[in-house]
Amino acid sequence: MTPVSPALSKRHLVLIGMMGSGKSSVGRKLALQSGAPLVDTDELIERHCRRSIVDLFKELGEARFRLLERDLLCQAAEDETPTILSTGGGAVVTPENREALWRTGYVVYLQASPEVLWRRLKKNSTRPLLQQPDPRGVLTRLVQEREPLYLDADMVINVDQLTIAQAAQAIWTALPGTLRGGLNKKTPTP
Ligand code: S3P
């Protein structure tokens, strides 16, 4: 019988950061380059509930959304396949998520200033937390509140001046070799 090899502990590449920081786009680029599967936790939730994030916030409220997010995110983190995990901006506020992500993944914070985030998000209606009076103030407050949690990441990359491709490249080259090896599913060209 072939022994089941234990899962590598830090096997995933986890992208954290505020909405608008580019986690999904950078994740897609990294997945394309490496051949590793991409799991976007917002998409997991939408598929599981067959509802958009906006509708879920309306129907459930934020507290119940966070419980759903926790259950699906923690399940995804326990998968043994090395994966690129792109997380929702608020995932880090839930202690169980932080425990699972930091234990199973190499965590990369895509840091962006409130000004850059606002420029990218001001015309966007898919972020329920910004559908309220003074969305710019809310965004700035969320950055301030979450920054200490984000800064606990294994790698911090400021993306204010970077394109998606530049951010993906910078992350990939700075990853520890063992992690890159685990994620790289592309057959090397002879
Ligand atoms: C949220 C960010 C969103 C989504 C939800 C809540 C947040 O994900 O999970 O709207 O609390 O910052 P993105 O960061 O992918 O936009």
Side-chain angles (χ1 to χ4, degrees):
M1 205 167 70
T2 327
V4 179
S5 53
L8 277 174
S9 55
K10 273 183 175 280
R11 54 197 176 276
H12 308 307
L13 166 54
V14 177
L15 300 175
I16 62 167
M18 281 296 292
M19 49 186 127
S21 61
K23 298 174 303 272
S24 302
S25 310
V26 171
R28 265 194 298 277
K29 189 90 191 161
L30 283 163
L32 211 68
Q33 280 174 359
S34 62
L38 170 70
V39 171
D40 183 311
T41 57
D42 282 345
E43 281 178 18
L44 268 187
I45 299 166
E46 289 185 326
R47 235 179 298 132
H48 180 84
C49 300
R50 298 190 195 163
R51 299 252 197 306
S52 68
I53 299 287
V54 173
D55 286 347
L56 283 168
F57 260 74
K58 269 193 216 134
E59 287 169 27
L60 306 177
E62 182 174 354
R64 282 174 64 202
F65 171 84
R66 294 291 170 211
L67 295 178
L68 252 173
E69 181 182 53
R70 179 201 63 192
D71 291 350
L72 293 170
L73 182 150
C74 288
Q75 208 175 21
E78 298 312 330
D79 198 304
E80 298 204 357
T81 308
T83 299
I84 296 173
L85 261 179
S86 169
T87 62
V92 295
V93 301
T94 306
E96 292 94 327
N97 294 348
R98 294 202 299 278
E99 189 283 320
L101 293 174
W102 264 257
R103 174 171 46 79
T104 63
Y106 187 85
V107 181
V108 178
Y109 170 31
L110 270 57
Q111 184 184 50
S113 62
E115 293 71 32
V116 167
L117 294 172
W118 177 245
R119 213 165 53 225
R120 293 180 185 171
L121 292 168
K122 62 184 170 193
K123 296 208 174 96
N124 187 295
S125 58
T126 62
R127 302 316 204 285
L129 289 176
L130 301 183
Q131 308 309 306
Q132 51 179 316
D134 188 21
R136 188 173 188 166
V138 172
L139 187 69
T140 306
R141 181 178 50 75
L142 287 175
V143 173
Q144 282 165 359
E145 280 172 11
R146 293 172 180 176
E147 186 75 356
L149 300 172
Y150 290 143
L151 284 175
D152 209 24
D154 298 301
M155 185 198 300
V156 178
I157 174 167
N158 189 289
V159 293
D160 277 351
Q161 312 284 342
L162 300 183
T163 62
I164 300 298
Q166 286 169 335
Q169 191 55 39
I171 292 168
W172 187 253
T173 49
L175 286 181
T178 45
L179 189 90
R180 247 193 340 246
L183 289 165
N184 204 341
K185 301 287 177 291
K186 289 262 166 94
T187 40
T189 39

